[in-house]
Amino acid sequence: MMNRAILTPKNGSVDEINALLIHRFPGEVHRYYSFDETIDASEQSVMEDFLNTLTPNELPPHELLLKKNCPIMLLRNINPSEGLCNGTRLICRSFDRNIIDAEIAVRHHIEKRVFIPRIPFLPNVDENSGFPFKRTQFAIRLSFAMTINKSQGQTLDYVGIYLPQPVFSHGQLYVALSRAKTASAVRILIRPVSTEQWEKMRTVYTSIKDITPNTRNWKIKMIVAEKSPKRISQRTNVKYQNLTLFDEEGNRVHASMFGTDIDHREDTLNIFQSYYISNAYVKPVDSRADDNDLIIKSIIARNLTYPPAPLSSVGIREIVKNCDIAELMKGLQPMEKLKIWIEAKIKVIDLDQVFYYMSCIGCNKGTGYKYNESFVCIYCKNQGVCKPRARAYVELDDNTGKIAAIMFGEVTEEAFGCSTVELMENSGEEHQPYIKNVVDKLSTKIWKIQVYADPDKLKEKRHKHFNVLSIEAMEDERNAGSSS
């Protein structure tokens, strides 16, 4: 297996071939998911599903599917003196939660057993992501197939060359043809697919619920029901716009568009018009989700036009009870973080806490500078102005249990019904009646709350709070009933 490979020009074709062959490869599949973090935690709820769909060059995928004895390739120089170099091919021998046991299959260290750990990656920011993020994953990918460029310097007994589109240059074709020892060991498949043929091959669905992560070549018609105003992310200055879509069976889909996509679609994306979504990346958040609560949480709309165009990320929301959170955390994979929705009241226990802190407007980190004072942030290294940022330590109570949480920024302002500046101006003992009035109004409402937690940090003494990522006021009837 290690003396043969399929070569193709683009990473997209490599991923398709590797995904096909790993499912046909004998043995039990082992799944490893990366943890993708935005640099600012406040962006995590909006961007995480989108980040999961990205696989920038030289980064491992979000989902690694591996089986015993399958071929893999290193993507980083981990320990060159021991043979663990970028491009080294290995064979998987066994799997642990945080370590992969592999055997080097090429060059001077052939048959040497090594352990591969998870490591953090910081991809370059470009037009495909729009903001910085960190991915923690094993520095490998399957190597049934590889790009022609990645095969340079290797000699193989058998080579298959797959060309669904032309090579970039004559030199690239030469590299592919010269990887085998003899001409008889090379096979070439040229099979371009036109846009018209590709459209005919797609299966048309009427319900988003019928589309799974394994569905291929699909499309579905959606209706645009709502378009929010354009907004700017505080952390990254990336422009985004939220949409609400419905399929033909009435299943609701929340979507977001980013950057230049918003301007490009402004004249063509209209309320109550139908559009086709094709080959989106589908990711269910929890397989136990109720069929009556299939609300698709996040579709990143890139190149949305009419007729068909792709969207790229979906997930499913489920309301979790506080009493079940401990069990959910026990079932998480190593380094996996918890992100769930609950329905609860928000209670402020300590009225003497300070409901704001002075921060850098670029990275939201705390600083000792004064309001509106200019300074160079020691964290993000940018010149900025010091501004107050809301913060509140609260308790989330859903009648099945209580969890300690912390709210920041716009989430705190929405819950308290006032601005950060108002909280700052009404701090101190003389303003206790104002704070008590705000808190009393807050505690009478029931909210849908998205919380986030790092199980490893929760074990530490200084990290005992869940992070509230977003909140939504419940229906008026529910809140009216809770306050009566």
Side-chain angles (χ1 to χ4, degrees):
M1 178 62 69
M2 298 308 301
N3 292 324
R4 61 186 68 199
I6 299 172
L7 309 182
T8 189
K10 294 186 177 181
N11 280 310
S13 300
V14 169
D15 294 339
E16 290 176 6
I17 295 170
N18 283 331
L20 174 65
L21 293 182
I22 193 63
H23 282 96
R24 296 185 179 182
F25 198 79
E28 178 185 357
V29 66
H30 296 265
R31 300 174 186 268
Y32 292 99
Y33 294 95
S34 71
F35 175 59
D36 297 337
E37 295 178 272
T38 56
I39 301 304
D40 178 17
S42 66
E43 301 286 348
Q44 191 75 14
S45 63
V46 179
M47 310 310 302
E48 184 173 2
D49 288 340
F50 175 52
L51 297 180
N52 293 163
T53 69
L54 302 178
T55 307
N57 288 337
E58 300 304 318
L59 256 68
H62 166 63
E63 181 185 49
L64 270 175
L65 301 181
L66 303 173
K67 294 181 180 179
K68 186 176 181 180
N69 299 325
C70 72
I72 58 175
M73 176 182 290
L74 273 183
L75 301 178
R76 286 291 187 275
N77 290 324
I78 296 179
N79 191 345
S81 63
E82 297 297 323
L84 296 179
C85 305
N86 188 356
T88 299
R89 301 183 77 195
L90 308 96
I91 300 174
C92 292
R93 293 308 188 195
S94 65
F95 306 94
D96 202 352
R97 291 168 66 89
N98 293 304
I99 290 291
I100 293 176
D101 179 6
E103 179 182 319
I104 298 177
V106 295
R107 299 171 186 163
H108 303 296
H109 296 273
I110 190 169
E111 297 185 356
K112 184 176 182 177
R113 296 290 281 270
V114 295
F115 295 108
I116 302 172
R118 296 178 189 260
I119 63 174
F121 295 83
L122 290 172
N124 293 326
V125 178
D126 57 26
E127 67 277 2
N128 293 322
S129 58
F131 46 87
F133 73 100
K134 180 175 74 173
R135 169 166 294 175
T136 303
Q137 181 61 290
F138 293 102
I140 60 173
R141 70 187 309 167
L142 289 167
S143 65
F144 294 106
M146 68 182 82
T147 61
I148 295 173
N149 291 343
K150 200 71 175 179
S151 71
Q152 290 189 67
Q154 301 193 34
T155 301
L156 304 167
D157 292 339
Y158 300 96
V159 174
I161 302 175
Y162 175 54
L163 301 176
Q165 61 273 325
V167 294
F168 300 121
S169 65
H170 295 288
Q172 190 181 44
L173 182 59
Y174 170 78
V175 170
L177 293 171
S178 60
R179 293 311 91 201
K181 299 175 182 178
T182 63
S184 61
V186 178
R187 294 290 185 271
I188 303 175
L189 174 61
I190 302 175
R191 193 167 64 181
V193 179
S194 68
T195 302
E196 292 77 12
Q197 290 173 317
W198 187 253
E199 288 297 330
K200 291 179 181 178
M201 293 164 58
R202 289 186 176 136
T203 303
V204 179
Y205 289 83
T206 58
S207 172
I208 194 71
K209 293 186 291 185
D210 295 332
I211 299 171
T212 71
N214 296 321
T215 307
R216 296 291 182 267
N217 297 336
W218 59 269
K219 65 180 179 181
I220 184 171
K221 183 183 288 187
M222 307 293 291
I223 298 173
V224 178
E226 296 177 5
K227 288 172 62 177
S228 76
K230 302 172 188 177
R231 296 184 173 92
I232 302 293
S233 165
Q234 287 186 345
R235 168 65 182 89
T236 61
N237 290 326
V238 174
K239 181 166 58 175
Y240 67 94
Q241 183 178 35
N242 295 324
L243 310 172
T244 300
L245 314 175
F246 285 88
D247 65 20
E248 294 181 355
E249 294 187 0
N251 298 302
R252 185 171 58 170
V253 175
H254 295 297
S256 297
M257 294 196 301
F258 295 88
T260 57
D261 290 337
I262 299 173
D263 298 327
H264 292 164
R265 314 298 171 232
E266 186 167 10
D267 296 330
T268 57
L269 189 63
N270 301 311
I271 299 293
F272 304 128
Q273 291 289 327
S274 297
Y275 300 84
Y276 279 108
I277 305 170
S278 58
N279 287 347
Y281 175 81
V282 180
K283 177 192 172 186
V285 171
D286 196 318
S287 60
R288 297 171 298 170
D290 189 339
D291 287 342
N292 294 324
D293 192 32
L294 286 174
I295 300 178
I296 309 303
K297 182 174 66 94
S298 176
I299 295 181
I300 308 305
R302 303 188 66 85
N303 302 324
L304 180 63
T305 56
Y306 180 80
L311 303 179
S312 53
S313 170
V314 286
I316 297 176
R317 177 188 299 177
E318 179 191 16
I319 300 300
V320 176
K321 295 185 181 300
N322 285 354
C323 61
D324 296 328
I325 292 178
E327 287 300 317
L328 282 179
M329 295 182 70
K330 290 179 182 179
L332 296 177
Q333 293 188 15
M335 303 187 72
E336 187 179 0
K337 307 303 185 278
L338 182 73
K339 187 173 70 171
I340 56 173
W341 285 87
I342 65 173
E343 289 182 3
K345 290 184 177 181
I346 302 175
K347 298 182 178 180
V348 179
I349 306 301
D350 181 12
L351 294 181
D352 293 326
Q353 65 179 286
V354 180
F355 292 98
Y356 72 96
Y357 67 97
M358 305 310 296
S359 71
C360 168
I361 61 173
C363 64
N364 292 327
K365 296 290 186 180
T367 179
Y369 289 90
K370 297 180 180 179
Y371 185 28
N372 283 334
E373 188 174 357
S374 296
F375 69 103
V376 176
C377 180
I378 62 173
Y379 299 102
C380 65
K381 311 301 181 184
N382 293 323
Q383 177 80 32
V385 178
C386 185
K387 295 289 185 181
R389 187 172 188 237
R391 176 183 61 195
Y393 292 93
V394 298
E395 192 174 74
L396 309 180
D397 185 358
D398 70 348
N399 293 327
T400 72
K402 301 176 182 179
I403 61 174
I406 184 170
M407 304 189 300
F408 291 99
E410 294 179 355
V411 175
T412 307
E413 292 178 332
E414 182 177 354
F416 279 45
C418 60
S419 69
T420 303
V421 173
E422 289 175 308
L423 288 173
M424 181 180 68
E425 293 175 344
N426 288 280
S427 60
E429 292 185 7
E430 66 274 19
H431 297 290
Q432 279 284 343
Y434 173 86
I435 295 297
K436 188 176 186 306
N437 181 54
V438 170
V439 168
D440 288 344
K441 289 180 179 179
L442 167 66
S443 62
T444 61
K445 297 181 180 179
I446 299 176
W447 303 81
K448 282 186 179 179
I449 308 167
Q450 188 179 38
V451 296
Y452 165 88
D454 183 338
D456 295 328
K457 288 186 176 181
L458 284 178
K459 297 175 184 177
E460 303 175 11
K461 291 184 178 180
R462 62 190 184 94
H463 292 285
K464 288 296 183 183
H465 296 84
F466 286 73
N467 192 351
V468 176
L469 299 178
S470 62
I471 60 175
E472 298 177 5
M474 295 289 292
E475 298 291 338
D476 293 340
E477 299 80 23
R478 289 283 304 275
N479 278 318
S482 68
S483 59
S484 61

